[in-house]
Amino acid sequence: MKRISKYKTDKWILMTLILFAAISILTIWSATKLLPSYLADLPLKQTLWYLAGFALAYFMMFLGKDFIYKHAWYLYWFGVIVLLLLLFFGKPINDAKCWFSIPGIGTIQPSEFMKIILIITLGKMIEDFSIQHKSPSAKDEFFFLCKIGIVVFIPSILTFLEPDTGVVLIYLLITITMLFVSGIRYRWFIMLFTILFLLIGTVILIYFINTDLFVKIFGTSFFLRVDRLLDWSSKSGFQLENGMSAIGAGGLFGNGWNQTPIYFPEPQTDFIFAVFSNNFGFLGSVLLIGLITFFDIKLILLALHSKFPIDKYVISGILGMLIYQQIQNIGMTFGLMPITGITLPFISYGGSSLLSYMIMAGIIFNISNSNFRYTN
């Protein structure tokens, strides 16, 4: 029998992450031409975040996925407490308390880590339920879904109050994806989408019929967020127009690295794909999207070959999160999706988001290594 190293990693996933790191750092470097001089160190910071991220991924492999699953509830309540403290002690930026300010490090966004914590917790809950109920009745599933709803609602309401509606939507998508993979009756999804449709429809109806009543019920902050979402279809706005112009100006082969002639806000985060497209053109964009798709397919194959159900649930949650953010971020740069501030995973600048993704990568490496051991 072939001996498998305790810390063996899937070389294709690892190579893809290294390519993501190189693309991210080079594109952020190019984006600094459009930013104030005090942000010129962002490429260096992203390099350091990536180095810390790979070290963190290795540490997650050292801990092992079983250890992480075993302590899922401790992680969950720790994440909830941190989100609660954020509302009182968070650093206000653009009228939102989404970050802690740490001297010498910068800002940390707890909701980014809560996404992966929620995936682990839900995976553990679904596994425990499947073990306890081999052939669950509709009643068993109903009470289980109520528990799931409570677990998701607590961080969702805390994140919504920051406010960060985009991350709340990601929590919901993670939950739906993992429950779908768990194999519960499809009637619950029909009921859920019906309820969501009615709730969203009611909110939009009030928004259009009586603006004053909407503000009175939901507040000015939520009104502005809804207004921003519903206004995207007009394809107007300085950021979107200039971002699309930059993409178009890239042509087939691009203007070359570090040659972005058109200014638009947030080129290092929300609109980093526009910077990349301008520098490397249509062909470069196709290659980047191909690399992202390859990474997603590797995760799908990893889930299909996983021998433990909880691993399948966790990977499905990760995929639900990643694919939504990929489609949302790239789509909004073309005006196909509303501009929501969702970043492009592994590419956009951001310490908190990158570290959370590398924690996820560590778990993925654990799962792939487990598959190698099981197979051999």
Side-chain angles (χ1 to χ4, degrees):
M1 181 181 293
K2 183 179 179 181
R3 186 176 182 273
I4 302 298
S5 170
K6 182 178 180 182
Y7 304 121
K8 183 177 178 64
T9 60
D10 186 306
K11 63 180 181 180
W12 292 110
I13 294 178
L14 178 60
M15 288 173 61
T16 305
L17 289 175
I18 292 172
L19 286 174
F20 280 155
I23 291 170
S24 174
I25 294 165
L26 287 174
T27 310
I28 291 170
W29 194 337
S30 180
T32 56
K33 287 191 64 176
L34 308 178
L35 296 171
S37 58
Y38 66 85
L39 295 176
D41 62 346
L42 289 188
L44 174 61
K45 286 185 176 180
Q46 186 75 345
T47 302
L48 296 176
W49 283 124
Y50 251 112
L51 292 174
F54 277 110
L56 185 56
Y58 183 83
F59 178 69
M60 298 302 292
M61 292 186 67
F62 173 78
L63 288 179
K65 62 186 179 69
D66 293 335
F67 178 87
I68 297 169
Y69 296 157
K70 181 180 178 181
H71 295 86
W73 284 108
Y74 293 103
L75 292 172
Y76 174 80
W77 289 114
F78 174 77
V80 168
I81 291 171
V82 171
L83 287 177
L84 182 62
L85 292 174
L86 186 63
L87 298 178
F88 295 98
F89 305 107
K91 179 182 180 180
I93 300 177
N94 296 328
D95 298 322
K97 285 188 175 182
C98 301
W99 303 268
F100 282 119
S101 180
I102 301 178
I105 296 179
T107 56
I108 296 294
Q109 187 174 358
S111 60
E112 290 291 339
F113 297 98
M114 193 66 213
K115 290 186 291 189
I116 190 65
I117 290 174
L118 191 61
I119 289 172
I120 295 168
T121 305
L122 293 179
K124 181 62 175 173
M125 290 181 70
I126 294 171
E127 182 194 47
D128 291 345
F129 177 77
S130 62
I131 292 174
Q132 295 169 8
H133 302 86
K134 299 297 183 182
S135 300
S137 64
K139 180 180 178 181
D140 294 330
E141 289 186 346
F142 174 76
F143 284 109
F144 171 65
L145 290 174
C146 289
K147 293 178 183 178
I148 290 285
I150 294 171
V151 168
V152 176
F153 176 78
I154 294 173
S156 294
I157 193 64
L158 292 174
T159 305
F160 181 80
L161 293 173
E162 293 178 5
D164 195 340
T165 313
V167 173
V168 174
L169 180 58
I170 293 175
Y171 293 160
L172 181 60
L173 290 170
I174 286 170
T175 306
I176 292 173
T177 304
M178 295 180 72
L179 287 175
F180 186 82
V181 172
S182 72
I184 66 170
R185 291 172 173 84
Y186 291 153
R187 71 179 69 170
W188 302 116
F189 295 100
I190 297 174
M191 293 173 61
L192 174 63
F193 287 122
T194 301
I195 293 171
L196 287 175
F197 177 79
L198 292 174
L199 288 175
I200 294 173
T202 301
V203 170
I204 294 176
L205 188 64
I206 297 174
Y207 170 86
F208 283 111
I209 292 178
N210 194 326
T211 301
D212 293 335
L213 178 61
F214 186 96
V215 173
K216 185 176 181 180
I217 296 174
F218 301 105
T220 304
S221 177
F222 187 63
F223 170 79
L224 293 175
R225 279 180 274 172
V226 172
D227 186 65
R228 183 182 182 185
L229 284 172
L230 295 179
D231 192 47
W232 71 276
S233 59
S234 66
K235 294 181 174 58
S236 62
F238 176 75
Q239 185 180 29
L240 178 59
E241 290 177 357
N242 281 26
M244 292 177 66
S245 296
I247 293 172
L252 186 61
F253 300 105
N255 293 313
W257 175 71
N258 208 23
Q259 300 295 324
T260 308
I262 303 174
Y263 171 78
F264 45 88
E266 304 301 332
Q268 80 282 18
T269 52
D270 301 1
F271 271 63
I272 192 142
F273 186 80
V275 177
F276 183 88
S277 295
N278 182 270
N279 288 181
F280 301 103
F282 175 78
L283 291 181
S285 300
V286 170
L287 290 174
L288 176 57
I289 293 173
L291 186 64
I292 291 171
T293 304
F294 173 78
F295 183 76
D296 293 343
I297 291 174
K298 286 295 295 183
L299 295 190
I300 292 171
L301 293 175
L302 181 61
L304 292 174
H305 291 97
S306 295
K307 306 303 178 181
F308 303 99
I310 189 171
D311 293 340
K312 297 179 186 290
Y313 306 144
V314 168
I315 294 177
S316 67
I318 291 172
L319 276 166
M321 174 184 70
L322 289 179
I323 292 175
Y324 165 71
Q325 291 191 228
Q326 292 157 359
I327 293 175
Q328 171 62 41
N329 179 272
I330 295 175
M332 72 184 188
T333 62
F334 290 98
L336 301 175
M337 301 288 284
I339 299 175
T340 58
I342 297 295
T343 55
L344 185 58
F346 297 108
I347 307 298
S348 295
Y349 175 78
S352 301
S353 59
L354 183 55
L355 290 182
S356 69
Y357 298 143
M358 296 309 286
I359 290 173
M360 172 196 73
I363 296 173
I364 290 170
F365 288 141
N366 265 289
I367 295 172
S368 65
N369 188 51
S370 178
N371 287 357
F372 285 134
R373 286 174 171 272
Y374 191 94
T375 302
N376 290 271

